Amino acid sequence: MTKPSSVRALTLDLDETLWPIAPVIERAEAALHVWLAQNAPATAARFDVAALRELRDTVALEFPDRAHDFTWARKVSIERALVAAGDDAAWAEPAFEHFFEWRHRVTLFPDALPALTRLAARFPLLALTNGNAELHRMGLAHFFVGRLSARDHGRGKPHADFFQAGCERLGVSPGQALHVGDDAALDIEGAHAAGQPSAWIVRPHHGMPPAPLHAKPVFVGADLLQLADWLGA
C-alpha cells in the first residue's frame, strides 16, 4: 500500500474532479446554438441543440480512431451541420471558438482552489485529461507544471501508455506518482493498470460505480481538501 510519504508527484484529472462538467457543456451547446441562429440561421433552424449533440456523437462513432479528440469531433460536426443546411462551411471555425469560450466558463467545486494551492505547494501537478480544457483559459495554469490530454497523446485514459507518458513528463516512476480522479473505470482502474497508485474522489453526486472496483485506490474521499490532509500538504 502506497504511503503519503512515498508520493513525489500528482497526475490530476480535470472534469468532475475540479468542476462539474455537465452544466458547462449544456451552457456551451446552448451558446453555440444562439451563435448559429445569429450567423448561420438555416443551420440553427435545421439543427436544435439536441440534434447538434447527436451529430457530434455520430462523428465520434464514425471515426473511433479520432473520437478521443473532442475538439476535432466538435468542429467536424459543426461543419457537417452547416453544409447540410446550405450555410457557409467557413463558419465552423468561429462557431467552434464561441463554443470553446463557453466550455471554459466553469464553476469550480468549493474545495478546488484551496486544495490546489496546498497540493501545488508540496508536489508537481500534471493535468491528465481526456477532455480539451485549457488551464490558462481558466486561470489555473500556475498550479500545474504541465498538461497532457488525449488529443496530445493520441489516446487517453484508461490506456496505460497515457498514464505512463504523464509520469515521464513528471520525471518519476509510475509508483511515485499518485493519480487523482473521479471516474472508477478511466481514472482508478486505468491508473492501476499503468502501475500508478490512485486517489478516488467520490463527490456526493457521483455515486458508486455499477461494478466493483478491481483496483484498490490508496485514498477515497469526498473532496480534494481531504486528499490534501491525507498527503500532509
Side-chain angles (χ1 to χ4, degrees):
M1 175 71 72
T2 297
K3 297 180 179 179
S5 59
S6 65
V7 175
R8 291 183 52 195
L10 305 183
T11 55
L12 187 65
D13 175 57
L14 299 179
D15 294 330
E16 286 300 329
T17 298
L18 295 183
W19 56 76
I21 189 58
V24 175
I25 298 302
E26 288 174 6
R27 290 192 297 266
E29 289 178 337
L32 169 62
H33 196 264
V34 170
W35 189 95
L36 290 171
Q38 295 169 346
N39 296 279
T43 302
R46 180 164 177 175
F47 296 92
D48 61 13
V49 171
L52 288 170
R53 185 184 306 122
E54 184 177 349
L55 189 55
R56 197 217 73 91
D57 293 342
T58 297
V59 169
L61 288 172
E62 285 182 16
F63 298 92
D65 58 324
R66 299 201 67 176
H68 63 274
D69 188 343
F70 295 168
T71 295
W72 176 84
R74 182 75 64 174
K75 284 182 180 180
V76 170
S77 67
I78 294 171
E79 183 175 345
R80 280 193 182 184
L82 290 163
V83 170
D87 282 322
D88 189 347
W91 284 119
E93 189 66 32
F96 173 79
E97 285 303 319
H98 187 73
F99 167 87
F100 207 44
E101 176 190 343
W102 278 82
R103 188 260 181 270
H104 287 90
R105 298 186 184 186
V106 303
T107 301
L108 297 174
F109 290 119
D111 57 286
L113 276 180
L116 283 172
T117 300
R118 290 171 58 184
L119 293 170
R122 177 77 179 271
F123 304 100
L125 308 182
L126 179 78
L128 197 68
T129 177
N130 281 7
N132 55 4
E134 296 178 356
L135 295 167
H136 68 276
R137 288 182 178 240
M138 295 171 288
L140 299 176
H142 63 287
F143 291 115
F144 294 84
V145 298
R147 166 186 169 275
L148 182 63
S149 72
R151 186 184 190 199
D152 299 329
H153 184 68
R155 62 180 186 171
K157 297 176 285 186
H159 295 288
D161 55 288
F162 184 55
F163 290 91
Q164 290 160 356
C167 293
E168 289 174 8
R169 287 271 190 100
L170 287 164
V172 298
S173 69
Q176 296 171 318
L178 179 69
H179 180 67
V180 183
D182 71 285
D183 190 286
L186 298 179
D187 290 304
I188 308 308
E189 301 286 9
H192 178 76
Q196 267 190 267
S198 63
W200 190 19
I201 306 303
V202 187
R203 297 184 182 278
H205 69 281
H206 286 164
M208 300 302 286
L213 281 173
H214 297 291
K216 299 298 182 186
V218 298
F219 171 86
V220 179
D223 63 41
L224 293 169
L225 285 173
Q226 293 179 10
L227 174 65
D229 289 341
W230 182 77
L231 287 168

